[in-house]
Amino acid sequence: MTKNYSGLDVSSAKIEKLWSGREDFQRIPELAINPLGDRIINAFFPEGEDQVNFRGFMRTLAHFRPIEDNEKSKDVNGPEPLNSRSNKLHFAFRLYDLDKDDKISRDELLQVLRMMVGVNISDEQLGSIADRTIQEADQDGDSAISFTEFVKVLEKVDVEQKMSIRFLH
């Protein structure tokens, strides 16, 4: 993937023509070993597309930019940055909402849990974890987790740091 984006003249209009395919992402070792690697890779690609241009790549990557102290007090009337807490939570929620119906069902939670733990936990134990998670998070009694409920569950989690990647040190 670096061959596509290395040595860029970012002021050039040609930047929109640069692209990467799924196979480029699958060769990144950290994504290859990540149990949610395929879900993360999918987040870079528009629906039904197998390639992403540089702008789309950077837009998705921006979700993982750490929030600096001076950014926390920015203009509240301006557009919300992609790396805001809310946008990071939306990104994470979409990793779980496999059918994109704005709810995380028991089956979706089970699929993601299986991706994360593999065969290290029995199906019965995973089912118990999924049931308990939904029971604790579900406030409206629909047996699923909405985005609002997802946010409530994670209100004390430092999402800003846990979903951050420092690119330059």
Side-chain angles (χ1 to χ4, degrees), residues 10-42:
V10 292
S11 64
S12 171
K14 294 178 184 176
I15 202 162
E16 273 303 307
K17 295 184 174 147
L18 296 170
W19 55 268
S20 287
R22 290 180 191 276
E23 60 280 351
D24 294 319
F25 285 83
Q26 291 164 340
R27 285 192 291 264
I28 299 171
E30 293 81 1
L31 286 174
I33 62 168
N34 187 318
L36 294 177
D38 285 339
R39 298 290 306 145
I40 294 168
I41 291 169
N42 287 340

Side-chain angles (χ1 to χ4, degrees), residues 1 3-20 51-59:
M1 183 160 44
K3 69 178 172 32
N4 289 345
Y5 301 138
S6 63
L8 289 178
D9 173 9
V10 292
S11 64
S12 171
K14 294 178 184 176
I15 202 162
E16 273 303 307
K17 295 184 174 147
L18 296 170
W19 55 268
S20 287
Q51 295 183 339
V52 63
N53 64 22
F54 183 73
R55 186 179 302 276
F57 171 75
M58 292 307 295
R59 185 167 180 75

Side-chain angles (χ1 to χ4, degrees), residues 77-165:
N77 296 324
E80 188 171 30
L82 291 172
N83 66 331
S84 69
R85 178 179 179 81
S86 176
N87 281 325
K88 286 178 185 268
L89 287 168
H90 271 287
F91 186 93
F93 183 82
R94 288 190 299 269
L95 293 178
Y96 288 87
D97 183 17
L98 304 176
D99 64 6
K100 300 178 181 156
D101 68 349
D102 296 326
K103 299 247 181 208
I104 300 170
S105 68
R106 180 183 190 274
D107 287 341
E108 289 170 319
L109 188 55
L110 277 172
Q111 284 183 52
V112 173
L113 287 171
R114 275 192 197 100
M115 288 179 218
M116 291 169 54
V117 300
V119 294
N120 297 325
I121 296 180
S122 72
D123 283 346
E124 185 177 308
Q125 290 171 310
L126 282 177
S128 177
I129 292 168
D131 290 339
R132 197 172 35 234
T133 301
I134 289 178
Q135 182 181 18
E136 290 175 14
D138 182 21
Q139 297 177 339
D140 60 10
D142 66 351
S143 299
I145 302 171
S146 68
F147 178 69
T148 303
E149 294 164 339
F150 185 79
V151 169
K152 179 79 173 148
V153 167
L154 295 174
E155 69 185 350
K156 291 186 171 103
V157 175
D158 188 4
V159 173
E160 293 89 337
Q161 289 306 311
K162 291 192 182 295
M163 285 188 65
S164 292
I165 302 171

